Amino acid sequence: MHIISLVETWSDSGKPVDNIPGFDFICNSTRKKHKRARRGSGGISLKIPKSKDNDYSIDSHSLRNNLDSKSANKSGKLLIDLCKESGLRILNGRTIGDPLGKCTCITYNGSSLVDYTLVSSNLLQCIGNFKVSDFTPISDHCPISCSLLTCFQKCKTIETKLDPLRGKFIWDNKAIDCYTTNIQNSHVKQRLDEFVNDKQIDSNSAVEKFNAILCDTALLSTKFVQKKIMNRPIKKIKTMVLRLLS
């Protein structure tokens, strides 16, 4: 299952922006900056007519509408071929929230639909809605978003009782400096390297092993004070409570 979102980017230098983290660059459609344009255009620019991507296998949703009446450009035709070959569906113009296919790019010389969200055909029934938000002054493009219908099953969590703390370390500036030195000695480094390289260890054992390294290093650096355990008999405690109540 896949969800793909295609947007147009801009660059003041006029060069395409193709290094967006987490995105793969498909194609580029650039043009020289018009004297009345607020910024240069670059990146992915796609225009798709309303009937083209309905040529592949029919799904349970209605045909896709598009308020952008302009014909498809080269990049748009490539996107349509991608949809046909991979079974993707365009949400624009065929989903609750955007039944008409609103334009997503508004400039000085007109508007167009060039920002799309694509999903796998088997994900269509899980789409709650797709929305083209209102135009904002910070960009020529309207924000687009979609929501997924999900079902969460409540599971009973296993309650675990934590072991009581055995005591505490007494830390001061001298102890901190000593710990910083000890954690870098060859013996501790060897134990840490063995811990990192142990790929077969389970999570519980990993926590215990790492905690042991830290505690052993702390014992070399400062004083550890044992926690006093109250061993009063239960009967005496009950007697004290009764006396207080009386």
Side-chain angles (χ1 to χ4, degrees):
M1 295 186 294
H2 300 84
I3 299 178
I4 301 175
S5 185
L6 299 173
V7 298
E8 184 179 17
T9 61
W10 63 272
S11 171
D12 287 331
S13 63
K15 296 180 180 180
V17 181
D18 57 358
N19 59 345
I20 303 175
F23 289 85
D24 292 327
F25 183 71
I26 298 177
C27 61
N28 176 52
S29 176
T30 59
R31 60 184 177 184
K32 293 183 179 179
K33 182 178 179 181
H34 193 277
K35 60 181 180 180
R36 294 175 60 187
R38 288 189 294 171
R39 54 176 70 94
S41 175
I44 302 171
S45 180
L46 302 165
K47 294 181 180 179
I48 306 172
K50 64 180 180 180
S51 60
K52 288 293 184 180
D53 82 324
N54 296 318
D55 295 340
Y56 59 93
S57 58
I58 299 175
D59 53 55
S60 58
H61 285 239
S62 60
L63 298 179
R64 192 174 66 85
N65 298 311
N66 192 344
L67 293 179
D68 185 359
S69 59
K70 293 183 287 294
S71 59
N73 60 10
K74 181 180 178 180
S75 300
K77 293 176 181 178
L78 290 173
L79 178 62
I80 293 171
D81 291 337
L82 173 66
C83 292
K84 292 178 180 179
E85 294 175 2
S86 55
L88 294 172
R89 298 292 189 271
I90 298 173
L91 295 185
N92 303 62
R94 59 144 54 102
T95 318
I96 296 175
D98 184 40
L100 300 178
K102 291 174 60 177
C103 293
T104 61
C105 179
I106 303 174
T107 61
Y108 68 94
N109 59 348
S111 58
S112 58
L113 202 169
V114 292
D115 305 294
Y116 301 90
T117 295
L118 281 63
V119 300
S120 303
S121 57
N122 54 354
L123 263 183
L124 277 176
Q125 59 183 355
C126 300
I127 300 298
N129 73 326
F130 170 82
K131 181 181 179 181
V132 178
S133 300
D134 295 334
F135 178 76
T136 63
I138 62 175
S139 174
D140 293 335
H141 296 262
C142 301
I144 60 175
S145 61
C146 72
S147 61
L148 291 174
L149 301 175
T150 57
C151 179
F152 296 96
Q153 184 177 2
K154 292 184 178 180
C155 299
K156 291 184 178 180
T157 57
I158 301 175
E159 295 183 0
T160 56
K161 187 177 181 180
L162 299 177
D163 296 330
L165 296 175
R166 296 179 300 165
K168 63 179 181 179
F169 292 98
I170 306 300
W171 294 102
D172 53 23
N173 292 334
K174 183 178 179 180
I176 293 174
D177 293 338
C178 187
Y179 183 86
T180 304
T181 302
N182 290 332
I183 199 70
Q184 299 180 51
N185 66 41
S186 58
H187 176 66
V188 176
K189 283 186 175 181
Q190 182 181 355
R191 292 180 65 184
L192 289 172
D193 290 338
E194 292 175 354
F195 170 76
V196 173
N197 295 326
D198 189 357
K199 305 299 182 182
Q200 305 298 326
I201 192 171
D202 60 272
S203 58
N204 290 331
S205 300
V207 172
E208 293 179 0
K209 190 173 182 179
F210 186 67
N211 186 62
I213 296 174
L214 298 181
C215 288
D216 291 345
T217 308
L219 288 172
L220 296 173
S221 309
T222 187
K223 184 179 179 181
F224 181 79
V225 179
Q226 292 281 354
K227 185 178 180 180
K228 294 182 179 180
I229 301 176
M230 303 296 292
N231 292 321
R232 290 184 179 181
I234 298 177
K235 291 183 179 180
K236 288 186 177 181
I237 295 175
K238 288 183 178 180
T239 304
M240 291 176 62
V241 173
L242 291 174
R243 287 179 180 176
L244 289 173
L245 292 175
S246 60

